[in-house]
Amino acid sequence: MAPTSALYATSPEAAHRILDDIEDQFRLPKDHLVRITSKFLEDFALGLSEYNHPMAMIPTFVTGVPDGTETGTFLALDLGGTNLRVCEVELLGNHEFVLRQQKYKVSEALKTGEATTLFDYLADSVDAFLTEFSSAVPSSPTSDSANPFASPSLSDLPPEPAVPLGLTFSFPVEQTALNRGKILTWTKGFAAKNAIGHDVVQLLQDAFDRKHLHVRCVALVNDTVGALLSRAYTSGGCILGSIFGTGTNGAYVERVENITKLGDSPARQQGGDMVVNTEWGAFNNTRTILPTTPFDNKVDRESINPRLQAFEKFISGMYLGEITRNILLSLIDAAPKPLLFNGRSSKPLNTHYGLDTAIMSEVEEAWETGRVPIVPVTTDTTEKPTLNGTSDKKVKVPDWQSAHFTDVDTLSEDDKARLERVRGIIIQRLLLDPADVSLRDAAIVRWASSLVANRAARLSGCAVAAVLIQTGRAKLGGGFTTDEEKISVGVDGSLIQHYPNFNARLRDALRDLVGEEVENKVEIGLAKDGSGVGAALCALQAIKQGY
């Protein structure tokens, strides 16, 4: 009988071979990690030397990072969707800050009306925020008048200094300076008229001036750059800010002399360092080196941006659940006998993006909690090194990706109890009939989730390793280490923060790529609010740079 699906098994042995084959497709041994990281470095070099490559390596014109001793009050405006956010960040000078913030609704009429109307609303929102939280408004200077009760004339008073503001603008722009960037196009439902081709900073500043606000937009910010600056302030320095959440990206500190595509521009002649926004989500869009499977190809083919953002589709939270759903459906549809759920599916499983990555996280947590030491991301500078994995005692996550763990009869009673919890999650979240979900089914779902997430974490480790090597802090394969006591990496995003042992798996790959001595020095810590706090810190950096 001819096979009637991509997966065809006529015996238990053949069924097991199918699982083994899927497992092999998702395995990333050290030699493959090395090849991927080498390609990362090639693409870094290409993007630094020429414009218009997928790995864009965008110069940000941010030429330094804070060290946590800075003080002052700065504003941030974060526009990127249905809401805009106004933040005030008071830097205390001891690696700590006080954040005040308020969200304001952006109506559909504002999104599609005249650009001046939209930016006037942004200015009005900042004005409303300053009225409610007035600490950002500099107090008027006192007078030396002989009569302490006399009121000086307005003309005698010096003008109030403008409050510096950083703008996080989550739309495509062509940035030519820290405080200049032309809007290339609108996305996310925005279509404001007479904005394309105009400098977004100037549009905002003109609105501030029309409202007579003492606010000056001094910096245009990417949220990943903001993550780098935020972590630098709280940890006393940082070389890489990275996002591992719904999407992924990284920004790092590069030597200006290596950004050859800047030519003879004043920025390059000045030398020193500059933060580069890699846009690494687009790494290897040609998929010549990424470990592509049929399940990945289906995700890409059905996405809104086929053949683009390849790396992001392998490692970000938006896509991991969909890859896992594709694996489960192939096992449900296997012939002549289904390999999962008695061949039954459900509405979530039949729905595009119906299996959220959060379900994978729940499944893995039910399996791992109480057994595997979780390696959390550092959240502040007071935590002990053992919490971020920089101690001599290494946490090794067991190899849960082996199809061996789908043989329920060979498992311990404790593991079977864990699978019962996994089974309950599957029934509840995927809306399946309990009669169609066996313990072996639960084991297969757990195994598939672990395969997809482990691959994502190990690929994420390649990105971090590439930056360490690019900046001269490591050598591919190990054998070299910097004199620095610690190498600070800032991270943000739901995967790195909340997915069980994502951080530990990332670090395991990092150890394979750069050696244990360098990996020991890497401190992976949470970057707080890159689009808010980070934008305010970029305003601080702009003032430092004389803007």
Side-chain angles (χ1 to χ4, degrees):
M1 178 179 175
T4 55
S5 80
L7 302 185
Y8 182 74
T10 56
S11 67
E13 294 76 17
H16 208 289
R17 283 197 297 272
I18 285 175
L19 299 186
D20 288 340
D21 179 59
I22 292 173
E23 179 188 325
D24 288 344
Q25 293 180 58
F26 280 86
R27 288 289 188 183
L28 271 178
K30 180 178 177 178
D31 63 330
H32 198 165
L33 292 178
V34 168
R35 293 199 304 273
I36 291 168
T37 307
S38 295
K39 179 61 176 171
F40 242 105
L41 292 164
E42 288 178 22
D43 285 8
F44 276 2
L46 190 60
L48 289 170
S49 64
E50 300 173 356
Y51 288 95
N52 302 316
H53 288 283
M55 186 86 84
M57 307 298 282
I58 300 167
T60 67
F61 303 94
V62 177
T63 58
V65 299
D67 61 15
T69 63
E70 297 87 350
T71 59
T73 301
F74 300 87
L75 294 177
L77 179 61
D78 177 14
L79 177 66
T82 305
N83 295 313
L84 69 91
R85 186 166 57 118
V86 183
C87 307
E88 176 198 273
V89 179
E90 182 184 354
L91 305 176
L92 303 180
N94 58 353
H95 304 287
E96 296 180 359
F97 54 80
V98 177
L99 171 66
R100 302 175 186 87
Q101 60 181 326
Q102 186 67 45
K103 288 184 178 179
Y104 301 88
K105 181 85 171 176
V106 182
S107 69
E108 294 302 316
L110 286 169
K111 291 180 183 179
T112 57
E114 283 292 329
T116 52
T117 306
L118 172 62
F119 283 89
D120 279 347
Y121 178 71
L122 301 187
D124 286 337
S125 299
V126 173
D127 190 17
F129 177 86
L130 291 176
T131 301
E132 186 174 355
F133 302 102
S134 59
S135 63
V137 181
S139 56
S140 297
T142 56
S143 170
D144 292 326
S145 172
N147 179 358
F149 301 103
S151 298
S153 67
L154 290 175
S155 61
D156 293 334
L157 294 175
E160 290 182 349
V163 183
L165 176 142
L167 170 64
T168 299
F169 188 72
S170 301
F171 302 93
V173 296
E174 180 185 339
Q175 192 163 355
T176 54
L178 184 49
N179 63 346
R180 287 200 300 275
K182 288 184 180 179
I183 302 174
L184 296 177
T185 186
W186 288 111
T187 57
K188 307 175 190 177
F190 280 72
K193 302 175 183 67
N194 300 311
I196 306 298
H198 291 270
D199 181 355
V200 61
V201 173
Q202 194 61 54
L203 287 170
L204 181 60
Q205 191 60 54
D206 288 345
F208 287 151
D209 294 344
R210 283 193 294 272
K211 305 290 180 181
H212 304 291
L213 292 179
H214 291 287
V215 177
R216 188 163 61 93
C217 185
V218 295
L220 179 59
V221 193
N222 168 278
D223 61 351
T224 312
V225 176
L228 167 61
L229 299 179
S230 173
R231 185 61 192 169
Y233 189 82
T234 57
S235 70
C238 187
I239 66 144
L240 167 65
S242 47
I243 309 295
F244 298 109
T246 304
T248 185
N249 193 15
Y252 74 100
V253 181
E254 177 64 271
R255 296 292 299 168
V256 171
E257 64 192 39
N258 294 333
I259 314 174
T260 56
K261 66 183 177 184
L262 288 175
D264 295 326
S265 66
R268 188 146 188 262
Q269 291 174 6
Q270 186 176 337
D273 295 330
M274 183 182 291
V275 176
V276 170
N277 168 23
T278 67
E279 293 294 341
W280 71 32
F283 167 64
N284 199 221
N285 279 344
T286 55
R287 297 179 181 237
T288 55
I289 195 70
L290 287 172
T292 306
T293 71
F295 312 106
D296 299 296
N297 286 337
K298 185 172 185 289
V299 168
D300 182 57
R301 175 168 49 79
E302 296 177 343
S303 70
I304 61 171
N305 55 348
R307 304 289 177 178
L308 299 174
Q309 295 298 105
F311 190 61
E312 186 166 85
K313 288 171 182 170
F314 280 78
I315 73 169
S316 74
M318 179 173 179
Y319 300 103
L320 300 189
E322 184 67 359
I323 299 169
T324 304
R325 186 181 76 93
N326 287 343
I327 295 174
L328 302 186
L329 285 177
S330 72
L331 298 173
I332 291 170
D333 293 338
K337 184 179 179 182
L339 301 180
L340 189 66
F341 303 146
N342 291 327
R344 305 293 204 286
S345 190
S346 65
K347 184 175 181 180
L349 284 171
N350 289 337
T351 302
H352 202 205
Y353 294 97
L355 196 163
D356 194 277
T357 302
I359 299 174
M360 297 169 58
S361 181
E362 283 184 57
V363 164
E364 290 231 62
E365 187 170 9
W367 176 256
E368 293 186 354
T369 296
R371 166 169 50 198
V372 178
I374 302 294
V375 183
V377 172
T378 303
T379 55
D380 59 53
T381 56
T382 63
E383 291 184 359
K384 296 178 181 178
T386 51
L387 287 179
N388 57 52
T390 58
S391 70
D392 291 333
K393 186 177 180 181
K394 286 295 160 192
V395 174
K396 186 74 174 177
V397 181
D399 181 13
W400 299 132
Q401 295 81 52
S402 172
H404 159 74
F405 289 102
T406 63
D407 294 331
V408 175
D409 292 341
T410 66
L411 299 180
S412 69
E413 292 305 312
D414 284 345
D415 280 348
K416 290 179 182 177
R418 290 184 174 95
L419 285 181
E420 284 288 2
R421 292 197 292 272
V422 170
R423 179 174 175 271
I425 293 167
I426 293 167
I427 291 167
Q428 180 183 19
R429 298 297 298 272
L430 298 183
L431 306 181
L432 286 157
D433 187 328
D436 292 322
V437 185
S438 67
L439 272 192
R440 176 173 165 79
D441 292 334
I444 289 174
V445 173
R446 199 280 317 154
W447 162 80
S449 299
S450 186
L451 274 181
V452 173
N454 187 67
R455 186 186 67 169
R458 289 178 70 77
L459 286 171
S460 300
C462 292
V464 176
V467 170
L468 297 182
I469 297 162
Q470 174 68 23
T471 57
R473 291 174 170 85
K475 179 182 176 182
L476 186 56
F480 169 81
T481 183
T482 174
D483 293 334
E484 295 168 276
E485 289 185 12
K486 73 170 184 177
I487 304 169
S488 181
V489 172
V491 295
D492 196 7
S494 53
L495 272 181
I496 193 75
Q497 286 188 62
H498 303 303
Y499 199 99
N501 281 314
F502 192 92
N503 184 32
R505 292 162 168 173
L506 185 158
R507 296 192 77 102
D508 188 57
L510 191 61
R511 202 174 306 129
D512 281 346
L513 289 165
V514 299
E516 187 167 349
E517 191 174 359
V518 173
E519 188 269 331
N520 274 339
K521 293 187 175 187
V522 175
E523 179 186 270
I524 297 177
L526 183 62
K528 301 174 183 176
D529 190 9
S531 60
V533 173
L537 287 164
C538 201
L540 158 72
Q541 192 58 41
I543 298 302
K544 280 186 174 183
Q545 293 175 213
Y547 284 91

